[in-house]
Amino acid sequence: DNDRASLLAATRAFETAANATDDTKAASVLWSRAKNSLGATLSKIGELDSDPALIVKAIAAYNDALSARPIAKLPNQWLNSWTNILQAEFLLAKVNRDSKRLRRAHDDFVAKLDNAQAIPFQREQSGHTYRQLAANAQLLGEMEMASEDLRAALSFYDRAQAAFSALNMPYAVAQMDAHRVVAEFRLGTMSADVETIAKALSAHRSLKSQLSRRERPYVWAHWHQTLGIMHRALAGFGQSSRHLLDARAAFESALEEYRREIYPQQWAETTALLCRTLMRMAATPEDWRHLSSTADDLIESVHTLALAGLIRAQQRSLLRTLQGIGDISALAHVRLGESARAFESLTLA
């Protein structure tokens, strides 16, 4: 549930439950469960608010739960707590745009897991853990431009997929397929390997039949956004007109579900990608007019949304989407002979 009021109420309830018990032997199971649930609610609110302080509190709660879940006696609960910690560290790295903490936590846990190979963890929990390890390795690879992390991510996705496939969990398997394709694409772009990028694009397209716009509109939109990003990347290696047209169509499809009033961050990010694509395609006055209108609307909307009661971290995240958009808008207005509007765009953005 992403309802903030419900999450805050749950946080208070779990804090009360944790305070009403303790970590002594008799009550440790209930106490660790309350701490784990507290971490989950704090992490979710921190994610929604882009608030690093709340995510740090979530990690502390998860570590409290972990302290009452020794691997020798409660191996699956131990693995669950570590997976939750890694997920929160992942969120913190994204919010802070800093990989240092995530690197330490990720490498530390990988070493611990290597030393626990003889322990028969439940397959589903192992699948969730490998999925999180894959996500962390992928983020580290992207943030640190480290191809070895992206290759590790592919291996972790394969292990997660094998676990979910053995348990007949088709949606989870499809998710791993989708994430793996993106990791492979990132690896291809990092090495400027056209063949790898094209292979990732083909694999990504094959996933479309598994998506239901009505049942999962957000996932459907994300698939189109990723498709557009892939086509934009391939446009730099030849057949640019075709790939840019496909990228534009993909971003416009994503925006059918990424509506600004429901998903403001995703709407802004995708619209910014669309602006950059339109700039590479612009040739006629009509093209420049459409680009200027799209870019100006993005600039005005982001500033309006940033003032709409958002906390500072959310404002920063939203305003970051405008990087370079003022220049794009100004260029479009200059091409249209509108110097005053060009200066205004640079000032606002």
Side-chain angles (χ1 to χ4, degrees):
D1 190 351
N2 288 343
D3 179 67
R4 199 174 186 281
S6 298
L7 288 167
L8 287 171
T11 298
R12 290 190 290 270
F14 292 133
E15 285 176 335
T16 300
N19 291 333
T21 56
D22 53 46
D23 58 350
T24 59
K25 186 175 181 180
S28 63
V29 173
L30 292 175
W31 180 81
S32 67
R33 193 174 297 165
K35 283 288 188 177
N36 197 61
S37 297
L38 175 62
T41 53
L42 287 170
S43 181
K44 176 54 72 174
I45 298 172
E47 180 183 9
L48 292 173
D49 292 354
S50 297
D51 187 342
L54 286 176
I55 300 173
V56 169
K57 287 182 179 179
I59 293 170
Y62 284 140
N63 273 300
D64 285 342
L66 179 65
S67 69
R69 296 175 165 185
I71 188 172
K73 293 182 179 179
L74 300 167
N76 291 300
Q77 290 88 334
W78 175 88
L79 192 59
N80 172 260
S81 287
W82 261 111
T83 304
N84 291 336
I85 290 168
L86 292 174
Q87 183 184 35
E89 292 285 3
F90 171 88
L91 294 174
L92 190 61
K94 290 186 72 174
V95 170
N96 286 340
R97 300 171 71 84
D98 187 349
S99 64
K100 294 184 184 67
R101 274 190 60 141
L102 178 60
R103 169 63 69 192
R104 288 194 299 270
H106 178 80
D107 290 350
D108 181 38
F109 178 68
V110 168
K112 284 181 169 60
L113 195 60
D114 285 343
N115 292 330
Q117 291 299 312
I119 297 177
F121 296 115
Q122 289 178 355
R123 183 168 282 168
E124 184 173 353
Q125 182 57 62
S126 294
H128 291 305
T129 300
Y130 283 129
R131 173 168 58 185
Q132 190 59 52
L133 284 170
N136 289 2
Q138 183 173 338
L139 183 60
L140 287 167
E142 292 170 359
M143 295 181 78
E144 299 180 358
M145 297 297 290
S147 57
E148 63 271 20
D149 285 309
L150 290 173
R151 281 188 282 270
L154 293 173
S155 176
F156 286 132
Y157 281 132
D158 287 342
R159 294 187 212 180
Q161 188 179 57
F164 294 138
S165 181
L167 292 167
N168 192 27
M169 299 172 65
Y171 182 64
V173 170
Q175 282 184 311
M176 296 307 96
D177 281 336
H179 290 310
R180 195 188 191 289
V181 163
V182 174
E184 190 169 16
F185 167 72
R186 301 295 185 203
L187 190 59
T189 54
M190 194 175 294
S191 58
D193 185 338
V194 182
E195 185 177 342
T196 298
I197 298 172
K199 178 183 174 185
L201 173 61
S202 178
H204 185 70
R205 282 189 172 280
S206 72
L207 299 173
K208 187 177 183 180
S209 62
Q210 302 176 41
L211 301 175
S212 168
R213 180 176 182 178
R214 189 178 70 173
E215 293 178 7
R216 294 187 173 90
Y218 182 93
V219 175
W220 183 89
H222 182 69
W223 181 89
H224 279 88
Q225 184 196 52
T226 302
L227 179 67
I229 291 170
M230 289 181 175
H231 276 296
R232 264 179 55 82
L234 280 170
F237 297 100
Q239 297 183 308
S240 61
S241 296
R242 178 174 67 83
H243 284 300
L244 289 173
L245 281 170
D246 287 341
R248 174 182 177 173
F251 292 138
E252 288 174 343
S253 292
L255 288 168
E256 292 175 14
E257 293 296 342
Y258 278 163
R259 295 189 294 277
R260 77 186 78 189
E261 64 274 14
I262 301 175
Y263 302 113
Q265 182 69 35
Q266 291 79 3
W267 173 83
E269 290 172 354
T270 307
T271 303
L273 287 166
L274 176 61
C275 285
R276 294 185 180 98
T277 303
L278 292 173
M279 183 183 70
R280 292 172 66 180
M281 299 173 65
T284 67
E286 290 76 15
D287 292 339
W288 291 110
R289 177 65 62 196
H290 179 54
L291 172 58
S292 68
S293 175
T294 305
D296 291 345
D297 179 56
L298 174 60
I299 293 168
E300 182 180 350
S301 296
V302 164
H303 282 289
T304 300
L305 289 165
L307 295 172
L310 299 179
I311 66 169
R312 187 169 297 177
Q314 290 175 305
Q315 291 174 342
R316 284 199 302 268
S317 181
L318 200 56
L319 290 169
R320 211 176 284 133
T321 64
L322 294 183
Q323 186 173 1
I325 300 301
D327 293 335
I328 291 174
S329 173
L331 175 62
H333 285 298
V334 166
R335 289 299 186 99
L336 292 166
E338 301 169 348
S339 300
R341 290 294 303 278
F343 179 76
E344 183 181 345
S345 295
L346 289 172
T347 304
L348 287 174

